[in-house]
Structures are given as structure tokens and as C-alpha cells.
Amino acid sequence: MVAPGRRPARGRRLLRIGLRLPGRPDPGRSGPEAAQGPWLAHPPGHPRLWQRASAVCALYLDPQEGAVVLSIDEKTAIAARSRRHPGRPARPGDPARQEFEYRRHGTASLVAALDVRTGEVLTEVIARNNAATFTAFLDPLDQAIAPGKAIHVVLDNGSSHTAKHTKAWLAEHPRWHVRWTPPHASWLNQVELFFSALTRRVVRHGDFTSRDNLIEKLEAYVIGHNETAKPYRCTYEGTPLKAA
């Protein structure tokens, strides 16, 4: 029971979060950062945030001549679910319907490297998302790319990317140059665009009879994507947006 005139604890938390939504000042802050949401690690004027964002965007907009530019990340815990009852396709006057109850058949995780110049993607199913698995994915990439080429890679701040093991691997491979996205800004990593399309076109409305069936459909999508791959067109420069 809640005493009259008092909000439940959950309601008070939601209220505090609501007060910090974009466009609403945070009562605990003052100055330009007052309207920023709590999900940003730095206030908008912090130089590190914009330095990292502009560095990533500069790589997309003007990559070094002759260099390989990659965008790499993992997509973990993709659920293999089968619907308990078949869905109904759309008909005139009747939208498509999908059963909401499902059975679980395990999960699969992917690591993917997007070639920023071509839009092609290399993926691999992984059993664990850790630094050893990540560098094991980088090894064949390093061997497949001509020795004289520099490799620029965009990474977010995930633990498999920032671990000591990964940093040691990068130090031993000096032609790999990392552009880190700002904290909580992994959306700047172009491979997330590929993962978004994969989710919409395969996972979200998919029906998978087993984990292997899920993996087969994921790999089929990757093959089809690469047959018609085009680079993503980046126009953002990594600077604060100007007021309209």
C-alpha cells in the first residue's frame, strides 16, 4: 500500500527520468548541458566526445587512399524462436497477423566486419563474446589483407574490444589503426546499420525450428547481402547539430 498523496517508488523514478528527457532541463545541472539526457557520458561541449565522433566520421567521408576501412562489432544472443501457431498473411482489409507465443530453441551470436568502401560483410558465428574470440576473428582478416595495406577499424567500447588481450594484439599489429566511437555512441559504427537490417528482415518476424535453422537463415541473408552490396552513404560530420 502507498500512503495517500505519495507516488509509488517506481513512479518517482520514472518522474526523475522524465525530467531529464531531451528538451527538459535537468534540475541537478546548469549551463548548456542541462537539457542533455542521462545516457550521455559527457556533456555536449566535452572535447573528447566530439573529437572521437568527428574522427570516425572523417574516416567514412575521406578514407586514406589505398587503406582498408573496416567496421567491426558483435551481435549477441539472437534468439531462435518458433511460433506456437502459424501466422496469417495479409489480405484485403485484414493486416498480417503473427502469433505472440513462441518456443525457445537457444541463441546464436555473430561477429561481423563491414568493408566500409564496398558494403560487403564477413560474419562468423561465435560461441563466446570475449577478447580471445575477437582477436581470433581478426587473425584471418589480417592474413587475408595484403601486407602493405594499412587497416583502419571502427570499434565501440565493448569489453571484448578494450580488454588487455585485445590491446596487446593491436600493439603487435601496428598496421591496425583503431577509431573508437564515443561511449554510448556505438550507432556511429556502420556495421550497426547492417545489424539493423538483419534484425528487421530475418530475426524480428522469423520462425526458426532450431538454432541451426536460425544460423542457416542468418548466413543466407549475409550471402544475399554481399551479392548486391553497396557502401552506406555517410553525410554526418560528427559535429554538434546546428539549430534549425
Side-chain angles (χ1 to χ4, degrees):
M1 296 292 291
V2 178
R6 290 181 60 85
R7 295 188 183 90
R10 181 173 177 272
R12 293 198 297 273
R13 287 196 298 272
L14 290 176
L15 175 62
R16 287 197 294 271
I17 293 171
L19 288 174
R20 297 195 293 273
L21 290 174
R24 297 185 182 182
D26 185 338
R29 295 181 180 180
S30 61
E33 68 272 20
Q36 286 295 319
W39 54 87
L40 285 180
H42 306 290
H46 195 290
R48 190 180 177 200
L49 184 143
W50 299 116
Q51 284 172 1
R52 285 193 176 191
S54 60
V56 169
C57 293
L59 183 63
Y60 296 150
L61 296 169
D62 188 22
Q64 179 184 333
E65 185 68 28
V68 175
V69 182
L70 302 175
S71 170
I72 303 179
D73 201 7
E74 299 91 354
K75 184 173 179 63
T76 59
I78 307 170
R81 302 181 299 189
S82 62
R83 308 289 169 177
R84 287 186 176 273
H85 304 285
R88 289 193 220 163
R91 298 178 297 181
D94 189 12
R97 298 176 185 272
Q98 187 174 46
E99 171 63 33
F100 68 92
E101 290 192 59
Y102 55 84
R103 297 181 178 90
R104 299 176 185 268
H105 303 290
T107 62
S109 298
L110 293 179
V111 58
L114 168 75
D115 186 329
V116 171
R117 293 184 186 275
T118 67
E120 293 178 302
V121 178
L122 174 68
T123 62
E124 181 179 309
V125 177
I126 56 176
R128 300 187 66 183
N129 180 25
N130 57 24
T133 301
F134 183 65
T135 56
F137 178 71
L138 299 183
D139 280 328
L141 284 175
D142 185 62
Q143 295 168 8
I145 297 170
K149 287 184 175 289
I151 303 171
H152 294 267
V153 58
V154 178
L155 297 175
D156 66 18
N157 299 273
S159 59
S160 62
H161 309 156
T162 58
K164 291 181 179 179
H165 177 83
T166 301
K167 290 185 176 180
W169 188 97
L170 292 169
E172 293 170 359
H173 298 77
R175 69 172 178 150
W176 285 73
H177 307 279
V178 179
R179 303 284 180 99
W180 300 100
T181 65
H184 310 294
S186 59
W187 54 270
L188 280 171
N189 202 345
Q190 280 198 9
V191 74
E192 300 297 340
L193 297 172
F194 169 77
F195 284 148
S196 175
L198 179 73
T199 299
R200 295 193 309 273
R201 296 173 183 174
V202 180
V203 179
R204 183 170 297 158
H205 301 292
D207 196 1
F208 311 105
T209 57
S210 65
R211 179 177 182 272
D212 288 341
N213 181 239
L214 167 65
I215 292 171
E216 288 174 4
K217 291 180 178 179
L218 293 174
E219 291 177 342
Y221 176 79
V222 173
I223 292 170
H225 168 88
N226 286 336
E227 289 175 350
T228 59
K230 295 180 181 179
Y232 294 104
R233 181 171 174 264
C234 179
T235 58
Y236 180 49
E237 297 178 352
T239 56
L241 296 179
K242 297 177 182 179

